[in-house]
Amino acid sequence: MAVLIETNPWEAEQIIRCYERPTRYAQHYADVGHLHIGFSGILLEQFVDPAIVDRYRHIIDIPAMLDAYRSTPNIELIGMGYFHPIFPLIPEADWQEQLRTGRDMMTEVFGRAPRGFWPPEMAFSMEMIPALVRAGYEYVVVDGVHVHPEDGVSDVFRPYLACYDDACITIVPRDRDVSNAQESGLDATWFAHEVTHRCRFSARPGEPRLCTTWSDGENGGWFRQTHEGAGFFGHYFSPYMERVRGGDYPIRPVGLSEYLAAHPASAHAHVQTGAWNVGSTSGFDLSQWAGSPRQRQGAETVRDLSRRWWALRDKGTAPADPLARARRLVLEAETSCYLFWGDDWLPKLAWLTDAAAELIEAMEARPAEAEQQQPAAGATPATAPAAAPAPAQAASAPQEAVGAIDVAAVSEQPVPAVEVAAEVASEAPAAAAPVPAAPQSGSKSGSEDLSKTASETVSKAGGPSGKAEREPDS
């Protein structure tokens, strides 16, 4: 965030305002509106940094913004990994720390822990389930195209249970078509018609219907629009809420936790490893982040450094300070951002991995006598190796604007209405040294993706959908 406001102040203002708007609209429509908002730990780390607070003060009062999130009960917080990693591409040994430290940071900043989880880039695999359950999460949002119910009947308008190694979690499918429409622009009338139509012709039109959408919420003119009347909240969300207030709208916003408590998942499903559709990729593989040989090599370098770090940690003789600094660099290198842009941002990744490798190699080369003098108690605990330091102690490389918001709307429809619940999640990966030129603004220039999710439940109606191109998230 510090680098972005110095190099592109207009884009920095557009992005920071994306984080501030949801609380105002949620509070204005407290009687009918529901939003779900998730923040990565690294974004919150920057939001509580006094230097960042002061630098953005002329645009937004960040502490007041965080207080607004804390005091708005119709905003449900959603968790994600601390450094916004592609979980299936990073070592499983690092999953728990990314999950735990991210959740702990949200609890510290907002005074409440998230119950639901949004996988960065919606990159999910069944193997993640035990780690999510151990971290305290009750449900996870995944792209509906990857959900395969045990009964063989495709139905994205209901939650499922997914189990792995005796651990089970609730799966909330994302409606990809409606999410695409939400990303690029829609209005309340279209939304009502599309949702009810889709639910009416779904596999189980007589059951409660939950339609969940998720899209970037800080990328593109639709969300960054500073003239709010022409953007997501002014053009779509406000008219939508006003019609719900009027009592004649077929969709009712709900919170996901509220809905899942009333309609707990009972049917089981398997979720295929994959992500959401970004750029020109379908999400049926992870090629957006591991499609080229250099991307795959970069990811393997990070995995190798992690393995070496764990070997040093388990040996119990490495000095605590360099061990913690190396840990921070490895976890930060696991962000999705440096892999998203093909090979263009790999030099940024290399800055982190080179720095981590230097520290690790020095610890590996320590004489045996020195190691024998280092008490094993000095090793960082396995459960929390090098948790995020205070902002002033963060990695010395300048940080790029890393932040993302995901917005979800969820609604249910009592016969024949539909309920919709809205979610917003914000995330921001850590930045590395500035190397290649950043991509053009409007997609993911230095800031993480802002996604929006909408979930609607319909008892005897239909769910929303839509087709539209969405901008890539990085």
Side-chain angles (χ1 to χ4, degrees), residues 228-391:
E228 293 186 10
F232 173 85
F233 282 100
H235 182 78
Y236 163 66
F237 188 77
S238 286
Y240 168 26
M241 293 298 103
E242 292 294 341
R243 292 183 63 177
V244 172
R245 272 180 175 169
D248 61 349
Y249 200 65
I251 297 173
R252 182 175 73 87
V254 296
L256 275 177
S257 290
E258 169 194 342
Y259 179 84
L260 295 174
H263 307 282
S266 57
H268 285 253
H270 174 84
V271 182
Q272 176 183 334
T273 299
W276 61 1
N277 50 311
V278 292
S280 60
T281 60
S282 65
F284 284 96
D285 54 27
L286 302 176
S287 59
Q288 184 69 43
W289 305 272
S292 76
R294 290 187 62 203
Q295 283 175 307
R296 291 190 291 273
Q297 181 57 52
E300 179 54 37
T301 297
V302 175
R303 288 191 290 268
D304 178 65
L305 289 169
S306 176
R307 286 190 291 267
R308 292 165 63 189
W309 185 92
W310 280 105
L312 286 165
R313 181 266 169 197
D314 291 341
K315 195 172 181 180
T317 57
D321 181 67
L323 194 70
R325 286 188 286 126
R327 186 59 174 159
R328 166 83 184 200
L329 290 166
V330 170
L331 294 176
E332 189 172 344
E334 291 176 347
T335 178
S336 69
C337 300
Y338 302 136
L339 295 174
F340 180 87
W341 298 105
D343 295 347
D344 290 349
W345 278 25
L346 291 180
K348 297 175 181 287
L349 175 62
W351 186 94
L352 291 171
T353 54
D354 288 351
E358 183 177 354
L359 287 168
I360 290 172
E361 288 167 4
M363 288 184 285
E364 291 172 333
R366 293 180 76 233
E369 313 84 71
E371 292 183 353
Q372 292 171 1
Q373 297 173 8
Q374 175 67 32
T380 307
T383 55

Side-chain angles (χ1 to χ4, degrees), residues 165-234:
D165 280 353
D166 298 324
C168 297
I169 196 167
T170 297
I171 297 293
V172 178
R174 168 213 191 216
D175 186 312
R176 177 175 282 198
D177 287 338
V178 184
S179 298
N180 288 341
Q182 182 175 274
E183 172 73 13
S184 60
L186 72 169
D187 60 48
T189 299
W190 178 90
F191 184 66
H193 290 164
E194 187 69 13
V195 170
T196 54
H197 176 80
R198 287 172 65 82
C199 290
R200 185 175 298 118
F201 291 96
S202 66
R204 299 173 178 85
E207 295 184 4
R209 303 280 78 190
L210 176 72
C211 178
T212 301
T213 68
W214 206 294
S215 59
D216 278 352
E218 71 187 356
N219 286 316
W222 173 239
F223 293 112
R224 293 189 184 184
Q225 177 61 258
T226 53
H227 175 58
E228 293 186 10
F232 173 85
F233 282 100

Side-chain angles (χ1 to χ4, degrees), residues 131 147 386:
V147 178

Side-chain angles (χ1 to χ4, degrees), residues 18-19 22 35-38 78 80 84 118-122 174 179 182-183 213-219 223 232-233 276 278 403-409 422-427 444 448-454 470-474:
C18 290
Y19 302 124
L35 291 171
H36 306 66
I37 303 179
I78 303 296
M80 60 188 69
H84 194 267
W118 181 81
E121 311 286 7
M122 301 203 82
R174 168 213 191 216
S179 298
Q182 182 175 274
E183 172 73 13
T213 68
W214 206 294
S215 59
D216 278 352
E218 71 187 356
N219 286 316
F223 293 112
F232 173 85
F233 282 100
W276 61 1
V278 292
I405 289 183
D406 303 307
V407 180
E423 313 189 39
V424 180
S426 304
E427 52 191 333
K444 286 229 171 179
E448 258 312 283
D449 61 307
L450 163 57
S451 317
K452 300 186 182 276
T453 316
R470 70 182 290 285
E471 301 191 12
D473 10 52
S474 72

Side-chain angles (χ1 to χ4, degrees), residues 398-422:
Q399 288 190 332
E400 296 163 353
V402 286
I405 289 183
D406 303 307
V407 180
V410 184
S411 304
E412 64 177 337
Q413 171 177 358
V415 185
V418 180
E419 297 185 78
V420 179

